[in-house]
Amino acid sequence: MAKMEVKTSLLDNMIGVGDMVLLEPLDEDSFINNLKKRYDHNEVYTYIGSVVISINPYRSLPIYTPEKVEEYRNRNFYELSPHIFALSDEAYRSLRDQDKDQCILITGESGAGKTEASKLVMSYVAAVCGKGAEVNQVKEQLLQSNPVLEAFGNAKTVRNDNSSRFGKYMDIEFDFKGDPLGGVISNYLLEKSRVVKQPRGERNFHIFYQILSGASEDFLCKLKLERDFSRYNYLGLDSAKVNGVDDAANFRTVRNAMQIVGFMDHETQSVFEVVAAVLKLGNIEFKPESRVNGLDESKIKDKNELKEICELTGIDQSVLERAFSFRTVEAKQEKVSTTLNVAQAYYARDALAKNLYSRLFSWLVTRINESIKAQTKVRKKVMGVLDIYGFEIFEDNSFEQFIINYCNEKLQQIFIELTLKEEQEEYIREGIEWTHIEYFNNAIICDLIENNQTGILAMLDEECLRPGTVTDDTFLEKLNQVCATHQHFESRMSKCSRFLNDTSLPHSCFRIQHYAGKVMYQVEGFVDKNNDLLYRDLSQAMWKASHSLIKALFPEGNPAKINLKRPPTAGSQFKASVATLMKNLQTKNPNYIRCIKPNDKKAPHIFNDALVCHQIRYLGLLENVRVRRAGYAFRQAYEPCLERYKMLCKQTWPHWRGPARAGVEVLFNELEIPEEEFSFGRSKIFIRNPRTLFKLEDLRKQRLEDLATLIEKIYRGWKCRTRFLLMKKSQIVIASWYRRYAQQKKYQKIKSSAIIVQSYIRGWKARKLLRELKHQKRCNEAATIIAAYWHGTQARRELRRLKEEARNKHAIAVIWAYWLGYKVRREYRKFFRANAGRKIYEFTLQRLMQKYFLEMKNKMPSLSPIDKNWPARPYLFLDSTHKELKRIFHLWRCKKYRDQFTDQQKLIYEEKLEASELFKDKKALYPASVGQPFQGAYLEISKNPKYKKLKDAVDEKIIIAEVVNKINRANGKATSRIFLLTKNNVLLADQKSGNIKSEVPLGDVTKVSMSSQNDGFFAVHLKEGSGAAGKGDFLLSSDHLIEMATKLYRTTLSQTKQKLNIEISDEFLVQFRQDKVCVKFIQGSQKNGNIPTCKRKNNRLLEVAVP
């Protein structure tokens, strides 16, 4: 029997109903019960057709592993159980294979898990797309943009510890292969009012707490901050610490993410300086003062905070102080300056803090877009991910909730339109007759809000621009006049009499019947928040800052670009942004993720029916199901349908030979399903009622049980037959082996008997031969013994004769020796007394020298060249020898130590030796450089993409690369430059762009001048008349002066064979174009600590103050 292909399905092992379109009966209670049942079994995802419902589990689940990614990769949407990966894979494959731009819309209220859902979508797409160094870098930058935006745009609220307080839409761009090329991020309506005030139980934006918790003490000191949260008025203390959140670790993560995304160190520093300035703005307090003319004005109580803010931002203190105290109004050619009272001053302070932080956030988004944008100009496919705030209904709803709910109305409108459009297109594509579906169209609510003539936003803008006294009450009066008859607008003071007795509606409120339910808005603050007014004096003060980032954030403060036209209101800006977003979404194929929060306690395993019911209503999920079920509740391609249900018909089981559609027709006719319950499309079967599908599933389940019984019966029969045949085969084998064994035993017995007989015969023959050999051996031994005795007797006789002869000769020799000795001693006595002293002296001296060398051998010092130990001299007469030995030993061990050096170490020590000869006892900075290794390449030019242009421009090997400060002759201020030294040239390049500013051949360098003090200033003198000397000499400052001067000296000597003149003097002349300027070094105290400063005294003198 052919092996049946087994596939998993949405309908297999289903807990509850995986797709709400199949839910029977369909009502609110059954909908909630189905969600609850699946949630209790850790099934947090459920479908409504192609829409994914995601319930926040408030804990980690093992369903996002790399194995799960591979499981859902390239699988049909309904092939596996509901999962966010299934929707992500469907969107990615549609983009890659069908060339359709996609968008994924993630909605839900705060705390429902929208941000985590967007992360999961992006991580899945990153995991399944292509690999490669460039592709991986793009994916990493796209993923690492999230921690940065979360730190600056998220905050703890009563509903969510990591609530997004802005809307984010990211377009991820892909090439034709489906590999990511880059992305573009758009942000909407940052809740900047949170900067200055947070509701009880909530925090400010994460970044404030992360800096104070995770930054080092030195970094906080640079930012003029303290670690104590209570020191800052803008930070609420009741929720400063969040359980399970490590702000210090998150700060390190944010800094690392900024580096990966592409922020340079100075940009990161500038961002944190702006954040610190915002934090310190909240500590500025005002006191009232009365002027002579009777007008009230305000003064700053404590100017220390203002001073530190000005030092951080580079703003003149008097300019900022005046901007907080006065307001200048310009009209055509007239300027009127008025004083600000205390309330107005506090409003100006908070407005500046909100605008500063809001513009910083927009700048961050723009900067991230610059890093992650696609570098190629080829045609790109786009996948958009929308993570935006859900519908909000609070006890107190203000302008922010009004704007957010307006956005959700527009999203609901496009959701219904695109869902119906998608449904209609599929019916037309499959040849199924389309019937009109009745549904609630919320276009009337959108028109109530956005109509250009009578819309609420238009009237709010009109009221803000109207001359005269404008308040929130006048705005409400205008609404009562214009919107009184609108069926979705209610107000206590409305002219429509049916609301006059509604005591639940306060006088200062109005109510709108949204698609998600009624929401009551308090008009207090609508006008001010819509105006979003920042006084021009503050804008101009910010533009005057020397801080480059702050100056860029306030371009309208430039006096040369003053625009008297009123800036657009917050409402009109957001309306335009929403219109652009809707236009963008309508060009893409939509995919929806509806996020639901199960409880308000942020705890797992708790399912609050009332809360979930509220969210189901305002998300319109039941209406979505009804739209999907208005035609056909279930549809499936013919191939998987036939594969799943083919066992229900004898004609299609086990294999159908023919087209899949024909097989499905045969199957349905065999099962006698009414024709009105299904329709055949071009590629799919459409089933009208879920009951029909469940009937098919029940029949399939019963048939599978029957098939399992049949398979079990056949298997048991096969198993018994196999066992019988195996036993029969085993009996035959055993019998054959026994017969073989019996014959082997008989053969072995006969063989052993023959061997015994053979052994006895061979033993008898061997013993007979042995006896004969022994007799012959005894005869031979007897003859040998007789001969030996005879030869011994002859030898002993000859020995006695020789000994006698030898004794006679020895006696003669002894007598003669004694006689000669006697003669010698008699002659020697004459000279013994004259030579005995000298001989004894030489012997004693030789013995002392021997003892000296033996002791030296045991007392030798270590082989370290810096070891000064040497054994003491034992005898005075060995003084010169002792010193010479010490010198020879030191030279020998130095040679041994030098032999251990590599070529690189020898080069380093040669440079250090050269530096010693040039600067020892001449330059006060030299001792500090002795212990520092000469590295040369302090800038990673080859690794940093910013310097790619500079790397391509320099073909030679770079000997030294470092950032130096080039001193301006006009004012003595320093400008950062990249100093490069190659074998033939000295180059100066711009640090930001990498463009080469100056290139000087080494032959044109005539001299290097520096002071004898502890500073890093030096001047490079150029040959007069050379091409490089057009602008004059270079006056530079470096933290590695000794190393730079040494390498320049050695390189010049190597290339030009001439020694470079190193002049060390506290006064020297520097040529600037046609003029000569004296550079003079003096001792003096510094405001900046131990950093030397350069100031211009006159046209001919630059004075450097050295601490």
Side-chain angles (χ1 to χ4, degrees):
M1 185 169 65
K3 184 178 179 181
M4 183 178 70
E5 182 182 1
V6 178
K7 288 188 177 181
T8 56
S9 169
L10 173 69
L11 301 172
D12 287 332
N13 302 321
M14 188 166 58
I15 298 172
V17 179
D19 190 343
M20 290 293 188
V21 176
L22 306 177
L23 186 63
E24 281 291 332
L26 178 62
D27 54 43
E28 196 171 81
D29 292 337
S30 62
F31 195 100
I32 295 173
N33 290 334
N34 186 56
L35 287 179
K36 183 176 182 180
K37 183 177 181 181
R38 292 179 61 79
Y39 179 76
D40 291 340
H41 289 81
N42 294 329
E43 293 288 341
V44 296
Y45 296 111
T46 308
Y47 291 156
I48 301 178
S50 59
V51 178
V52 176
I53 301 175
S54 171
I55 303 180
N56 192 343
Y58 287 117
R59 62 193 179 99
S60 298
L61 295 177
I63 58 174
Y64 308 108
T65 60
E67 292 77 15
K68 277 290 181 182
V69 172
E70 289 302 319
E71 182 179 343
Y72 280 86
R73 187 172 186 173
N74 294 327
R75 303 294 287 268
N76 183 275
F77 185 74
Y78 296 102
E79 191 171 341
L80 298 174
S81 59
H83 201 291
I84 194 172
F85 287 168
L87 180 137
S88 304
D89 187 75
E90 183 77 11
Y92 176 71
R93 286 191 292 111
S94 298
L95 176 138
R96 181 192 64 192
D97 302 336
Q98 302 176 21
D99 203 20
K100 292 181 179 179
D101 288 349
Q102 303 290 317
C103 65
I104 298 177
L105 280 69
I106 307 171
T107 57
E109 74 172 44
S110 179
K114 300 187 298 299
T115 301
E116 288 301 317
S118 67
K119 291 181 185 176
L120 289 172
V121 171
M122 292 177 64
S123 64
Y124 180 85
V125 173
V128 300
C129 62
K131 302 292 188 291
E134 293 184 2
V135 174
N136 290 338
Q137 181 182 1
V138 171
K139 291 193 290 187
E140 187 66 16
Q141 286 186 334
L142 290 173
L143 293 175
Q144 290 299 326
S145 65
N146 280 325
V148 179
L149 294 179
E150 283 186 16
F152 287 87
N154 289 22
K156 178 202 178 301
T157 65
V158 292
R159 296 186 175 184
N160 186 4
D161 289 344
N162 187 33
S163 176
S164 298
R165 307 317 300 163
F166 70 104
K168 182 178 74 172
Y169 178 75
M170 172 183 282
D171 269 334
I172 308 174
E173 300 172 337
F174 298 84
D175 62 9
F176 69 96
K177 298 179 295 183
D179 295 340
L181 298 173
V184 179
I185 299 174
S186 303
N187 66 297
Y188 301 95
L189 194 66
L190 176 72
E191 188 188 11
K192 57 186 178 182
S193 61
R194 181 171 293 271
V195 174
V196 300
K197 184 179 180 181
Q198 308 90 42
R200 181 174 296 276
E202 299 189 4
R203 294 205 313 176
N204 211 322
F205 291 102
H206 291 328
I207 190 63
F208 296 114
Y209 304 92
Q210 291 174 0
I211 288 181
L212 298 180
S213 300
S216 64
E217 293 295 341
D218 292 341
F219 193 67
L220 288 177
C221 185
K222 290 180 180 178
L223 298 180
K224 305 185 184 303
L225 296 176
E226 299 179 18
R227 205 173 292 280
D228 185 9
F229 294 160
S230 62
R231 288 277 295 107
Y232 304 100
N233 297 333
Y234 280 166
L235 300 183
L237 299 181
D238 54 341
S239 300
K241 294 291 184 181
V242 181
N243 293 331
V245 176
D246 188 349
D247 289 319
N250 291 341
F251 179 70
R252 293 189 291 271
T253 302
V254 170
R255 296 204 68 169
N256 182 58
M258 294 178 75
Q259 186 177 5
I260 293 174
V261 171
F263 283 81
M264 304 306 294
D265 290 342
H266 70 276
E267 291 177 327
T268 305
Q269 178 71 22
S270 298
V271 168
F272 290 136
E273 286 173 351
V274 175
V275 173
V278 171
L279 201 55
K280 297 183 75 64
L281 272 172
N283 291 351
I284 295 179
E285 296 182 348
F286 302 92
K287 59 182 179 180
E289 282 194 7
S290 298
R291 303 181 68 181
V292 178
N293 56 8
L295 295 176
D296 290 335
E297 66 176 13
S298 61
K299 292 292 183 182
I300 297 175
K301 289 183 180 179
D302 185 1
K303 297 184 180 181
N304 288 330
E305 293 286 354
L306 181 66
K307 179 181 178 183
E308 292 181 352
I309 292 173
C310 293
E311 291 174 355
L312 274 174
T313 57
I315 304 174
D316 186 270
Q317 183 173 342
S318 60
V319 172
L320 186 58
E321 184 176 1
R322 175 175 175 78
F324 279 135
S325 302
F326 294 88
R327 178 186 179 187
T328 302
V329 179
E330 297 185 22
K332 296 183 178 180
Q333 302 299 321
E334 298 181 1
K335 290 185 179 180
V336 179
S337 180
T338 60
T339 60
L340 301 179
N341 58 32
V342 172
Q344 292 171 332
Y346 277 116
Y347 173 84
R349 180 201 69 179
D350 291 344
L352 176 60
K354 292 187 291 185
N355 273 270
L356 191 58
Y357 192 84
S358 174
R359 297 183 188 204
L360 172 65
F361 186 80
S362 299
W363 180 88
L364 280 171
V365 174
T366 304
R367 179 63 182 84
I368 292 173
N369 285 337
E370 290 177 2
S371 296
I372 66 176
K373 68 180 179 181
Q375 301 299 321
T376 60
K377 295 184 178 180
V378 297
R379 182 181 176 273
K380 297 179 280 289
K381 306 175 183 180
V382 177
M383 177 185 289
V385 180
L386 178 64
D387 174 10
I388 201 162
Y389 13 62
F391 201 88
E392 292 188 349
I393 304 176
F394 298 144
E395 291 184 4
D396 296 326
N397 301 288
S398 186
F399 180 75
E400 291 84 3
Q401 283 68 46
F402 177 75
I403 290 294
I404 289 171
N405 294 343
Y406 160 61
C407 179
N408 278 272
E409 285 285 357
K410 296 293 290 184
L411 288 174
Q412 176 68 8
Q413 184 183 26
I414 195 173
F415 169 69
I416 295 296
E417 289 177 358
L418 293 180
T419 300
L420 290 174
K421 180 181 178 183
E422 180 185 2
E423 194 83 357
Q424 184 177 8
E425 286 178 352
E426 183 173 16
Y427 278 39
I428 295 172
R429 186 169 59 248
E430 294 293 329
I432 304 296
E433 182 179 355
W434 169 257
T435 57
H436 180 70
I437 298 174
E438 294 294 335
Y439 66 95
F440 172 67
N441 188 348
N442 68 336
I444 187 172
I445 305 175
C446 297
D447 185 71
L448 170 65
I449 298 173
E450 66 181 4
N451 187 285
N452 291 331
Q453 302 297 328
T454 61
I456 295 176
L457 285 177
M459 286 185 286
L460 181 60
D461 288 347
E462 181 181 335
E463 194 68 11
C464 291
L465 297 175
R466 181 174 61 82
T469 303
V470 176
T471 64
D472 296 320
D473 293 334
T474 60
F475 165 62
L476 183 58
E477 290 177 5
K478 193 173 188 67
L479 288 182
N480 291 333
Q481 294 173 4
V482 177
C483 304
T485 58
H486 198 285
Q487 57 181 333
H488 291 274
F489 178 84
E490 302 175 10
S491 171
R492 178 108 179 190
M493 300 303 294
S494 172
K495 293 182 179 179
C496 186
S497 61
R498 61 194 176 100
F499 299 127
L500 291 178
N501 298 323
D502 188 358
T503 57
S504 65
L505 191 63
H507 289 278
S508 60
C509 299
F510 66 90
R511 184 184 293 145
I512 294 180
Q513 175 71 47
H514 289 282
Y515 77 92
K518 293 184 179 181
V519 183
M520 183 176 67
Y521 298 100
Q522 294 186 357
V523 295
E524 182 181 355
F526 261 64
V527 173
D528 286 341
K529 292 176 181 178
N530 188 53
N531 271 325
D532 193 22
L533 186 61
L534 178 68
Y535 298 151
R536 185 177 288 114
D537 301 73
L538 288 171
S539 298
Q540 293 176 349
M542 292 296 105
W543 187 83
K544 293 177 181 178
S546 61
H547 195 284
S548 58
L549 176 55
I550 291 181
K551 189 168 186 174
L553 296 179
F554 293 88
E556 74 276 12
N558 187 353
K561 300 179 180 180
I562 290 180
N563 185 5
L564 299 180
K565 185 179 179 180
R566 188 182 183 92
T569 61
S572 60
Q573 291 181 33
F574 188 73
K575 177 182 174 183
S577 300
V578 169
T580 304
L581 176 62
M582 297 301 113
K583 184 178 180 181
N584 190 0
L585 294 179
Q586 286 175 339
T587 62
K588 297 178 173 60
N589 185 50
N591 303 272
Y592 300 96
I593 300 174
R594 300 297 204 184
C595 298
I596 292 179
K597 181 170 64 172
N599 59 79
D600 277 328
K601 298 179 180 180
K602 296 178 278 191
H605 308 297
I606 299 177
F607 192 93
N608 188 321
D609 292 11
L611 179 63
V612 173
C613 178
H614 172 70
Q615 296 173 78
I616 289 173
R617 288 174 181 171
Y618 78 65
L619 286 173
L621 298 184
L622 275 174
E623 188 171 57
N624 185 18
V625 176
R626 293 190 181 100
V627 168
R628 289 300 300 261
R629 286 179 55 165
Y632 293 89
F634 182 77
R635 72 284 320 264
Q636 190 175 27
Y638 290 121
E639 288 81 1
C641 180
L642 180 62
E643 187 67 32
R644 185 168 183 83
Y645 301 111
K646 64 182 180 180
M647 71 287 296
L648 300 180
C649 177
K650 293 182 179 179
Q651 299 179 48
T652 58
W653 176 258
H655 295 291
W656 170 258
R657 309 295 182 183
R661 173 170 177 169
V664 174
E665 290 178 354
V666 170
L667 175 64
F668 274 58
N669 291 332
E670 178 74 16
L671 295 175
E672 297 181 352
I673 298 175
E675 293 184 359
E676 63 270 11
E677 286 296 318
F678 64 90
S679 291
F680 293 105
R682 292 189 177 91
S683 63
K684 294 180 181 179
I685 176 73
F686 287 77
I687 298 176
R688 185 178 301 278
N689 200 305
R691 285 192 298 271
T692 304
L693 180 65
F694 291 141
K695 178 182 176 181
L696 288 174
E697 283 297 310
D698 292 339
L699 292 173
R700 178 178 180 270
K701 183 178 179 181
Q702 182 61 42
R703 181 58 178 160
L704 287 177
E705 292 177 357
D706 297 342
L707 288 174
T709 304
L710 177 63
I711 293 171
E712 184 179 6
K713 181 179 72 173
I714 295 173
Y715 170 74
R716 285 175 177 172
W718 170 83
K719 187 176 181 182
C720 290
R721 285 192 301 274
T722 303
R723 186 171 183 271
F724 168 75
L725 292 174
L726 181 62
M727 290 178 67
K728 182 179 179 181
K729 183 179 179 181
S730 301
Q731 186 271 333
I732 295 172
V733 171
I734 292 171
S736 65
W737 274 89
Y738 175 74
R739 286 193 293 270
R740 177 185 175 188
Y741 170 74
Q743 291 298 321
Q744 284 180 340
K745 290 290 287 184
K746 184 177 179 181
Y747 168 75
Q748 291 292 341
K749 190 174 182 180
I750 296 172
K751 183 178 179 182
S752 62
S753 300
I755 291 173
I756 290 172
V757 173
Q758 288 177 351
S759 66
Y760 272 103
I761 295 173
R762 288 177 184 144
W764 174 75
K765 288 182 178 181
R767 287 190 293 275
K768 183 180 177 182
L769 180 60
L770 179 62
R771 283 194 297 271
E772 293 174 356
L773 291 174
K774 283 183 177 180
H775 178 71
Q776 185 180 356
K777 181 180 178 182
R778 281 196 294 271
C779 294
N780 292 336
E781 287 179 350
T784 302
I785 290 171
I786 294 170
Y789 272 100
W790 168 250
H791 290 310
T793 303
Q794 292 293 324
R796 284 189 292 275
R797 288 177 182 175
E798 182 64 22
L799 177 62
R800 283 194 296 272
R801 188 184 67 79
L802 290 174
K803 283 183 177 181
E804 185 65 29
E805 185 179 349
R807 278 195 295 270
N808 294 336
K809 288 181 180 181
H810 181 65
I812 296 172
V814 170
I815 295 170
W816 176 248
Y818 271 98
W819 167 249
L820 289 178
Y822 170 74
K823 286 179 64 177
V824 170
R825 283 190 297 276
R826 189 174 60 186
E827 290 295 324
Y828 184 68
R829 285 193 193 100
K830 300 176 184 179
F831 307 101
F832 178 74
R833 292 181 181 177
N835 296 323
R838 186 171 58 84
K839 293 291 185 180
I840 292 170
Y841 171 76
E842 291 177 356
F843 175 78
T844 304
L845 188 63
Q846 184 179 5
R847 183 68 185 92
L848 290 174
M849 291 291 291
Q850 183 181 10
K851 181 180 179 183
Y852 167 69
F853 283 115
L854 288 174
E855 290 178 351
M856 286 292 293
K857 176 183 178 183
N858 298 328
K859 297 180 179 179
M860 294 297 287
S862 66
L863 294 179
S864 174
I866 62 174
D867 189 356
K868 301 297 183 180
N869 295 327
W870 186 250
R873 180 195 63 202
Y875 307 105
L876 183 61
F877 73 91
L878 293 175
D879 184 55
S880 59
T881 303
H882 196 68
K883 293 179 179 178
E884 185 65 18
L885 279 175
K886 180 179 180 181
R887 186 184 68 82
I888 293 172
F889 177 77
H890 181 67
L891 294 176
W892 173 78
R893 67 182 177 183
C894 287
K895 182 179 182 303
K896 293 285 286 184
Y897 185 76
R898 290 195 300 273
D899 291 344
Q900 299 175 3
F901 291 165
T902 62
D903 294 339
Q904 185 177 1
Q905 289 174 324
K906 288 180 181 179
L907 179 63
I908 292 173
Y909 281 104
E910 286 175 1
E911 289 180 346
K912 286 290 185 179
L913 184 60
E914 194 79 60
S916 175
E917 294 175 355
L918 291 173
F919 302 108
K920 187 176 181 181
D921 299 330
K922 300 177 183 178
K923 178 71 175 173
L925 191 64
Y926 170 73
S929 70
V930 172
Q932 299 176 354
F934 289 174
Q935 298 180 12
Y938 291 93
L939 300 178
E940 296 180 345
I941 294 179
S942 60
K943 297 181 180 179
N944 195 329
K946 180 178 178 180
Y947 301 125
K948 184 178 184 303
K949 181 178 179 182
L950 180 60
K951 178 186 174 184
D952 296 340
V954 180
D955 298 332
E956 301 175 288
K957 178 183 177 183
I958 297 175
I959 299 173
I960 188 167
E962 190 204 355
V963 176
V964 300
N965 292 323
K966 183 175 179 294
I967 308 305
N968 190 341
R969 169 231 176 148
N971 52 19
K973 292 186 178 180
T975 305
S976 295
R977 291 284 187 268
I978 298 176
F979 182 92
L980 299 177
L981 174 62
T982 65
K983 289 185 177 181
N984 298 310
N985 299 290
V986 174
L987 299 95
L988 287 178
D990 186 78
Q991 185 185 5
K992 294 182 179 178
S993 63
N995 295 328
I996 297 177
K997 296 294 187 179
S998 303
E999 184 173 359
V1000 181
L1002 287 178
D1004 292 346
V1005 179
T1006 60
K1007 184 173 65 173
V1008 174
S1009 299
M1010 63 187 72
S1011 74
S1012 61
Q1013 301 185 38
N1014 192 18
D1015 63 275
F1017 287 83
F1018 67 100
V1020 179
H1021 300 274
L1022 306 181
K1023 185 187 296 182
E1024 294 186 5
S1026 63
K1031 295 183 179 180
D1033 303 335
F1034 298 123
L1035 181 59
L1036 308 171
S1037 174
S1038 170
D1039 295 335
H1040 304 91
L1041 171 60
I1042 300 300
E1043 178 181 357
M1044 293 182 66
T1046 303
K1047 288 184 181 291
L1048 181 60
Y1049 178 86
R1050 288 173 60 85
T1051 306
T1052 304
L1053 180 62
S1054 172
Q1055 294 300 316
T1056 64
K1057 308 303 179 185
Q1058 295 180 356
K1059 292 185 177 181
L1060 180 65
N1061 184 15
I1062 304 293
E1063 179 185 356
I1064 300 177
S1065 174
D1066 288 346
E1067 286 192 26
F1068 52 81
L1069 295 177
V1070 179
Q1071 184 77 29
F1072 285 118
R1073 296 189 183 276
Q1074 304 301 322
D1075 301 331
K1076 287 189 177 182
V1077 177
C1078 177
V1079 180
K1080 183 178 181 181
F1081 293 82
I1082 63 171
Q1083 294 286 340
S1085 60
Q1086 300 301 316
K1087 296 181 180 179
N1088 296 329
N1090 294 327
I1091 302 175
T1093 56
C1094 181
K1095 292 184 179 180
R1096 172 188 174 189
K1097 291 298 182 181
N1098 52 53
N1099 290 338
R1100 300 293 184 180
L1101 177 62
L1102 282 175
E1103 193 174 84
V1104 179
V1106 182

